[in-house]
Amino acid sequence: MTKTEGQQGIRPSGYRLPESTHLGSVRLQVADIERSVLFYSRVLGMCVIGGTADSVSLGAQDKDREIIHLRQLKSARPVPKRGLLGLYHFAILLPDRASLGRFVAHLSEIGEYAGMSDHFVSEAVYLTDPDGLGIEVYADRPRDAWRYDERQLYMTTNHLDVDDLVKSARGKRWTGMPPGTVLGHVHLYVDDIDKAAAFYHDALGFDKVVWSYPGALFLSAGGYHHHLGTNTWAKGAPRATDADARLLEWEIVVPTLKDAEEAARHVKDAGYEVKKEEGEWVLTDPWGTSLRLVPERKTN
């Protein structure tokens, strides 16, 4: 069943993030910067675009934007198998299905294990970095192929047809993250879906997109399948702390400075922690996970 744009999802009753809102980068705390850079370059095909002795910026082959920023804390504890409240995974969106097919073939060639799922709106591959931080690499299906059940987007977790996906590469080899690769979404462990909705939907202004998936809530701006996932699948686990390998913060990019100010003000008025830093705003959710609201960076 299809619906018109105005009938899809559940809009917040108050402030709503602009339609063109998208994500910027993730900042991760890792124990060994050299080990992490080797993983992200060899396995994911990321390029170093800048850095210091204890921090590195990574992007796609065109090096036109930071997608991942790594910061080293040598004593950082690895993520336990059960997980910690905070990051479940961050997700790197490839520009097309053929790129994902090449990536999957590349993983097979280097012997790297990955989980795989067909989510109907997208096809996805799941990995874990050397510190236990979760990563998704995925490609979207065309929006006109997405379906809705009443107002709710139809999403699945089904078997991925790997052979067909690899065929889409038409024999071309993986040469690294292609131009047009971006941070597509972030997925967080929380311990209460209602509290997550209060912060990310009611206060920050994301639309609810999928709300009947067991133990999870998916939210977005502009009708996307999700810029943010939250789930309670690690309920009872402790929060990630400054001593852990963890997500330090993730960026939400809005069109203008005024949009960033308005969103931050709405979150602050709802009683949550908001801090201004050089024309950007850092917000902290109920589990101590930080996000940075930034205006779109203009390029010449």
Side-chain angles (χ1 to χ4, degrees), residues 39 43-44 100 103-108 110-117 124-128 135-137 160 162:
F39 171 86
V43 177
L44 266 65
L100 186 61
F103 180 66
V104 169
H106 158 72
L107 293 178
S108 178
I110 65 173
E112 187 73 23
Y113 171 79
M116 301 182 187
S117 291
V125 178
Y126 295 91
L127 305 103
T128 303
I135 306 163
E136 176 182 343
V137 179
L160 182 65
V162 178

Side-chain angles (χ1 to χ4, degrees), residues 5 17 31 90 98 111 120 142 166 182 184 189 194 196 223 232 240 244 251 261 286:
E5 181 73 19
L17 286 166
F90 65 92
F120 190 78
V166 172
V182 297
Y189 282 131
D194 288 339
T232 57
D244 298 300
E251 284 185 343
E261 290 173 342

Side-chain angles (χ1 to χ4, degrees), residues 17-204:
L17 286 166
E19 295 277 323
S20 60
T21 297
H22 60 92
L23 303 193
S25 65
V26 289
R27 299 177 67 86
L28 308 173
Q29 181 161 276
V30 299
D32 186 326
I33 201 90
E34 291 185 5
R35 179 182 67 177
S36 292
V37 169
L38 178 62
F39 171 86
Y40 282 100
S41 58
R42 174 180 174 269
V43 177
L44 266 65
M46 289 284 183
C47 290
V48 174
I49 58 177
T52 65
D54 59 2
S55 68
V56 172
S57 294
L58 303 170
Q61 297 294 312
D62 52 4
K63 301 184 180 181
D64 72 337
R65 74 183 78 195
E66 179 185 84
I67 299 174
I68 300 169
H69 186 93
L70 303 174
R71 191 180 78 181
Q72 179 174 270
L73 177 68
K74 290 184 177 180
S75 61
R77 299 177 300 210
V79 180
K81 286 188 177 181
R82 186 185 178 188
L84 299 169
L85 297 184
L87 183 68
Y88 176 46
H89 63 245
F90 65 92
I92 298 168
L93 174 60
L94 299 179
D96 51 50
R97 188 171 191 253
S99 296
L100 186 61
R102 290 192 286 272
F103 180 66
V104 169
H106 158 72
L107 293 178
S108 178
E109 289 171 2
I110 65 173
E112 187 73 23
Y113 171 79
M116 301 182 187
S117 291
D118 186 330
H119 296 305
F120 190 78
V121 296
S122 63
E123 295 170 288
V125 178
Y126 295 91
L127 305 103
T128 303
D129 87 350
D131 291 279
L133 298 168
I135 306 163
E136 176 182 343
V137 179
Y138 74 111
D140 283 335
R141 288 197 168 98
R143 284 205 187 197
D144 59 10
W146 301 357
R147 296 208 317 256
Y148 292 84
D149 180 4
E150 295 299 331
R151 299 175 67 179
Q152 185 168 204
L153 183 65
Y154 176 74
M155 289 176 62
T156 62
T157 302
N158 290 334
H159 173 76
L160 182 65
D161 188 340
V162 178
D163 291 340
D164 187 65
L165 180 61
V166 172
K167 285 179 184 176
S168 73
R170 300 182 182 274
K172 292 184 179 180
R173 295 181 61 82
W174 176 254
T175 58
M177 285 287 169
T181 298
V182 297
L183 179 67
H185 65 265
V186 169
H187 197 148
L188 303 175
Y189 282 131
V190 300
D191 64 7
D192 188 298
I193 291 297
D194 288 339
K195 284 170 64 177
F199 181 84
Y200 288 107
H201 173 66
D202 298 325
L204 182 56

Side-chain angles (χ1 to χ4, degrees), residues 214-237:
L217 172 67
F218 297 89
L219 308 106
S220 78
Y224 191 53
H225 58 69
H226 66 296
H227 290 113
L228 172 65
T230 63
N231 74 66
T232 57
W233 305 331
K235 189 171 183 176

